[in-house]
Amino acid sequence: MMRIDVETGAVISHTPAPRKRTFEDLAAAAKAMQEQDERRDSIFRQSMEAEKNKDDLFEKKFADALRKAKDAPAGKPLREFDLD
């Protein structure tokens, strides 16, 4: 709410709007904190599993790349410039 002087147009006083409460009571806030902790722990466990499986994934990718390199024809690859 703002009070303005009609003659000068200057703001005389103001009161800010009341802030909305994030949580209605302490129990709701505690429950939200617990859910946030569980979510954070779950994400951490998933990242740990991904790190454990990372070596296997890299080995598979390396084996695929090595197999493709062996199957590729030997020699220099042709470029459009070389064909002219």
Side-chain angles (χ1 to χ4, degrees):
M1 186 166 117
M2 294 175 60
R3 291 182 62 197
I4 301 175
D5 186 6
V6 178
E7 295 176 9
T8 61
V11 176
I12 297 173
S13 67
H14 76 285
T15 54
R19 291 179 29 182
K20 292 184 179 181
R21 299 180 99 184
T22 306
F23 300 105
E24 292 299 321
D25 58 355
L26 189 59
K31 183 179 178 182
M33 289 293 287
Q34 183 180 11
E35 290 173 355
Q36 185 180 19
D37 289 344
E38 290 171 0
R39 183 174 178 270
R40 184 178 54 240
D41 291 341
S42 172
I43 291 172
F44 179 73
R45 279 191 303 267
Q46 288 175 354
S47 67
M48 289 295 293
E49 288 297 319
E51 284 295 319
K52 288 179 183 177
N53 297 332
K54 186 188 271 187
D55 291 335
D56 294 335
L57 180 65
F58 285 144
E59 286 178 17
K60 287 179 185 176
K61 285 185 178 183
F62 180 75
D64 287 341
L66 188 62
R67 186 172 20 87
K68 285 180 183 178
K70 286 181 180 179
D71 293 342
K76 195 172 183 181
L78 289 177
R79 299 177 295 177
E80 289 183 26
F81 184 79
D82 293 336
L83 298 177
D84 288 341

